[in-house]
Amino acid sequence: CIIRLDASRLALGFEEKGVHILDLYTGNFKPVTNSVIENILEGATGIKSLFYEDNWLWIGTAGRGVIITNLISGKTRVLNDKEWLPNNMIYGMLPEIKGAIWMSSNKGIFRLVYRYSSDAVEIQQIFPYNVDHGLQSNEFNTGAYHRSEDGYLYFGGISGLNFFHPKDTRQNQKHQDIVLTGAMIGNK
């Protein structure tokens, strides 16, 4: 996968060689790496998707979750099925608005709400969707994702295509507390 970081740089994700930055003016080609990234990508973990915002590179992996790294400071965070994610296979990542990103996986798609704060990414909420919500399948495909100019998100899976506008989705509302104000036994 390839994404543009700015006018002079591209980020490229590979099946066995991690993520590299290509400087289009100088031809410099260098890996994005630190001890956290090296540990997660050990064993030639494939890169399935990339997203870039405000110096933060989000890296969707084949079975190791999401790596979020700041390209300036090197600060890195990993999200996986032990922390926030419903599944570690991340096929596609599409921004909704700043602070919300949609991802496709082997357990449906999900909306992740986040914010940046003093060199960190804070995850605030996740909203998962699966076949029970009308998806074509819970399993999606590599490279099968797109955000249109009018904001529609497209995710391709093993049984077809799902597309929607995020404003038309319902996120799980906070559950309301139930308060019992009385009880009757035997109608008394």
Side-chain angles (χ1 to χ4, degrees), residues 26-43:
T26 67
N28 188 16
F29 189 67
K30 65 179 188 172
V32 175
T33 190
N34 61 38
S35 61
V36 174
I37 294 172
E38 287 173 11
N39 184 49
I40 295 297
L41 297 183
E42 183 179 34

Side-chain angles (χ1 to χ4, degrees), residues 3-11 21-24 52 71:
I3 62 166
R4 181 174 290 279
L5 303 180
D6 53 38
S8 65
R9 297 179 305 154
L10 299 176
I21 303 293
L22 173 63
D23 187 306
L24 298 171
Y52 180 72
L71 294 180

Side-chain angles (χ1 to χ4, degrees), residues 49-120:
S49 54
L50 298 168
F51 168 65
Y52 180 72
E53 177 182 67
D54 295 342
N55 297 319
W56 290 95
L57 181 63
W58 297 59
I59 304 166
T61 71
R64 301 282 177 98
V66 176
I67 302 166
I68 309 168
T69 190
N70 188 297
L71 294 180
I72 304 297
S73 70
K75 178 87 172 176
T76 301
R77 178 173 186 180
V78 177
L79 304 178
N80 56 37
D81 61 1
K82 293 178 178 83
E83 183 190 10
W84 291 102
L85 301 185
N87 186 258
N88 286 333
M89 178 66 83
I90 306 300
Y91 292 113
M93 295 187 285
L94 295 173
E96 174 186 337
I97 56 171
K98 188 168 187 157
I101 186 169
W102 289 80
M103 299 185 197
S104 59
S105 73
N106 277 344
K107 286 195 175 176
I109 60 175
F110 56 94
R111 180 179 187 254
L112 188 74
V113 179
Y114 62 92
R115 72 183 185 106
Y116 301 121
S117 67
S118 65
D119 207 30

Side-chain angles (χ1 to χ4, degrees), residues 175-181:
H175 294 293
Q176 299 296 318
D177 292 333
I178 298 173
V179 177
L180 297 176
T181 58

Side-chain angles (χ1 to χ4, degrees), residues 180-185 188:
L180 297 176
T181 58
M184 295 174 60
I185 298 176
K188 296 181 185 176

